[in-house]
Amino acid sequence: METIESPNRCIHCGFSNLKRHDKRLRRVRNMNLFHKNLHLLIHVKRSRCQNCKEVFSEPLSSVQSGSHQTYRLQEHIFEQCRDTTISYVSRQLAMSYKTIERIYYKMAKNELQDEQTSSVVGIDEFAVRKVHRYETVVTGIITGNVHEMGADRDYQSALLSISS
């Protein structure tokens, strides 16, 4: 797979005089197809700015910079984790638990910023690691949305979560 248009301006300084630097093959995980892992191989064009001398890759509309999964797969993972556990989704998609967890919490944080608070909230704690490190989570009981996640499980963390 390859994009048709190359970038016409530097993403760092905005200068329009770019020189083609090289072309690399990027492997990105997409949604499963017939219960098989599907990876996209994308030829990414890299450019060098003649003004600031920075080298950068062209932006892709379906993949975030630095990510190894498409937006579609990340949204699918987030929806699956809402209904089941992270470990179950990890086994189903044959992906690392930590990768699924990172995607879920990143998407939950983004959704948290987009949604309004609800009138009925629930507060709970969950273990982040086996070494008894806990975090506080505030959810909307009616909507089931995550509203806030606190760093600890103490009184101050819970108070800050509820007040924001």
Side-chain angles (χ1 to χ4, degrees):
M1 181 183 296
E2 187 172 347
T3 58
I4 298 170
E5 294 182 20
S6 295
N8 56 2
R9 293 201 170 272
C10 175
I11 60 172
H12 300 287
C13 68
F15 199 67
S16 62
N17 191 5
L18 303 177
K19 185 177 182 183
R20 185 165 176 182
H21 183 67
D22 66 2
K23 189 178 190 181
R24 292 192 177 178
L25 193 61
R26 184 172 173 189
R27 186 175 183 213
V28 179
R29 174 89 185 258
N30 198 9
M31 299 273 294
N32 288 352
L33 184 66
F34 300 114
H35 304 289
K36 299 286 184 185
N37 294 344
L38 179 65
H39 293 269
L40 303 176
L41 297 176
I42 305 170
H43 291 281
V44 179
K45 300 170 193 156
R46 295 179 3 123
S47 302
R48 178 184 296 274
C49 177
Q50 297 300 309
N51 183 41
C52 65
K53 305 297 184 204
E54 290 289 329
V55 176
F56 61 94
S57 299
E58 61 184 337
L60 301 171
S61 60
S62 60
V63 182
Q64 185 178 9
S65 176
S67 179
H68 298 284
Q69 303 85 21
T70 61
Y71 286 123
R72 262 180 24 162
L73 179 61
Q74 290 180 359
E75 289 170 4
H76 175 71
I77 289 170
F78 180 69
E79 292 302 320
Q80 291 294 315
C81 288
R82 286 180 130 183
D83 299 332
T84 61
T85 63
I86 293 174
S87 59
Y88 177 77
V89 175
S90 171
R91 287 189 305 271
Q92 290 295 90
L93 296 175
M95 291 177 73
S96 160
Y97 178 90
K98 286 291 188 186
T99 302
I100 302 289
E101 182 181 43
R102 186 180 63 250
I103 291 169
Y104 175 73
Y105 287 120
K106 181 183 77 170
M107 299 281 287
K109 186 176 182 180
N110 291 344
E111 186 169 299
L112 170 68
Q113 293 170 352
D114 294 343
E115 297 194 9
Q116 299 175 357
T117 58
S118 65
S119 58
V120 182
V121 295
I123 188 167
D124 198 2
E125 60 190 29
F126 63 95
V128 177
R129 295 187 178 195
K130 292 182 181 179
V131 211
H132 302 290
R133 190 173 141 236
Y134 296 91
E135 290 189 5
T136 305
V137 62
V138 177
T139 59
I141 299 296
I142 297 169
T143 61
N145 296 328
V146 176
H147 289 295
E148 186 69 38
M149 295 174 66
D152 298 310
R153 66 173 181 176
D154 60 357
Y155 178 75
Q156 286 294 61
S157 178
L159 202 58
L160 289 172
S161 296
I162 293 172
S163 64
S164 45

